[in-house]
Amino acid sequence: GNTMAGGARPATAAMRATVEVGKEEEDTEAQALPESPDASSFRAPMLKCVNTLSGHHSGIRAIAVHGRRVFTGSYDNTIKVWTLDGGACEATLEGHVSWIRSLLAHAREPLLFSGSDDGIVKVWRVDVYKESNELRHEPPVTKSASCGGILALSFDYEHNWLLAGSYGAAIFVWSLPSFALLHELRGHRSAVRSLVVYNNCLLSGSYDRTVKMWDLANSCVSIGSLPTRGSVWVLETHENLLLGAIGDSSIKVWAMDNWEQRATLSGHRGLVLALAVHRERLFSGSDDR
């Protein structure tokens, strides 16, 4: 199937994990979005490795950047803090008891959020490298199974809410600064792999082959769903476009004004596991290497 087994240890687990920090030169492999009037003058720079950050004892699953520091979350259950300029490891954040699946750096406050297979979201003060809070979610009493690990994190700056997608198909919404659990959103039938906030709307991608929409301005009610032909691994936005990496190795492009599908981008021979947008270019990373 298209889903990844929760307990399957990565093939590189026994290897010493590294992160490569790059700078830009010319890249002819990037796949472009439909050209804007000035896109013809854009030349995507080539990524040249200027440093290698080594220190984790297992695979690296998540990366976040805050100011001049890089945070890496690993299958060794730790988060490491690196200086962006020199690449030195400043600290190792410990506390999770299972794999780190997601990291999110707050854009306005010195806060880092980490989600793990232990089912806990931890909140860290990045100015002092100290854990400041721990967010747990308990399954409803009618359910016998745990909600599982935290796969995705996002933040709604309009309402000051932290959002987390879980293996157990639920999305949790906490309010800052109290960290009170406001909502537990149900509707997906499988793990929630990706979350994106756009214009008071939460978009959630799941292994159940759907992208669901939730109205953040109206009690987070479900307002729609986009079916796909495979698990939804990654979601990204660009202006009024929603881009989704689908389990059939394609990338779908939807217009968010009417939710019509604009394009299907193909070319990868494996699962697309990462998307990033820079100006008018879309970069995609896949299992096909």
Side-chain angles (χ1 to χ4, degrees), residues 222-245:
S222 178
I223 56 175
S225 182
L226 301 173
T228 70
R229 293 188 176 183
S231 300
V232 182
W233 286 81
V234 188
L235 293 175
E236 184 63 84
T237 60
H238 174 70
E239 297 179 351
N240 71 326
L241 298 177
L242 173 66
L243 307 117

Side-chain angles (χ1 to χ4, degrees), residues 11-226:
T12 57
M15 300 173 62
R16 190 175 185 83
T18 63
V19 179
E20 293 188 344
V21 180
K23 68 179 182 181
E24 297 182 329
E25 270 181 25
E26 184 169 11
D27 177 15
T28 58
E29 295 291 327
Q31 200 163 23
L33 293 171
E35 288 196 357
S36 65
D38 62 347
S40 60
S41 62
F42 176 81
R43 293 294 179 268
M46 217 157 119
L47 296 175
K48 181 179 180 181
C49 182
V50 296
N51 208 341
T52 298
L53 312 181
S54 180
H56 281 293
H57 299 291
S58 191
I60 293 165
R61 178 62 177 77
I63 298 177
V65 178
H66 189 282
R68 304 303 299 173
R69 288 175 175 82
V70 180
F71 302 87
T72 55
S74 169
Y75 291 116
D76 64 12
N77 306 347
T78 70
I79 302 163
K80 288 190 179 292
V81 186
W82 315 82
T83 60
L84 190 59
D85 298 320
C89 182
E90 285 191 335
T92 298
L93 309 182
E94 299 178 331
H96 284 293
V97 296
S98 192
W99 297 349
I100 311 297
R101 292 286 187 176
S102 51
L103 291 175
L104 175 68
H106 197 289
R108 302 170 185 171
E109 301 290 341
L111 297 175
L112 177 74
F113 307 98
S114 59
S116 167
D117 269 359
D118 59 18
I120 296 172
V121 176
K122 288 186 179 290
V123 186
W124 311 84
R125 295 281 308 187
V126 298
D127 48 356
V128 293
Y129 304 138
K130 180 180 179 181
E131 182 182 337
S132 65
N133 217 319
E134 182 176 278
L135 308 179
R136 295 175 178 266
H137 58 80
E138 299 297 336
V141 294
T142 56
K143 301 288 186 181
S144 59
S146 168
C147 292
I150 301 297
L151 286 177
L153 293 170
S154 189
F155 203 89
D156 174 16
Y157 292 96
E158 180 74 19
H159 298 92
N160 210 23
W161 290 348
L162 173 67
L163 308 111
S166 74
Y167 262 122
I171 302 168
F172 300 92
V173 183
W174 288 279
S175 175
L176 271 65
S178 67
F179 293 105
L181 180 61
L182 299 181
H183 303 284
E184 182 176 327
L185 310 182
R186 295 280 176 174
H188 282 294
R189 301 185 308 277
S190 189
V192 178
R193 183 63 171 72
S194 183
L195 297 173
V196 173
V197 174
Y198 176 83
N199 196 23
N200 260 331
C201 181
L202 172 64
L203 304 162
S204 57
S206 169
Y207 291 157
D208 67 7
R209 303 187 176 193
T210 67
V211 176
K212 291 192 180 298
M213 293 156 276
W214 314 82
D215 188 350
L216 295 175
N218 184 24
S219 301
C220 297
V221 297
S222 178
I223 56 175
S225 182
L226 301 173

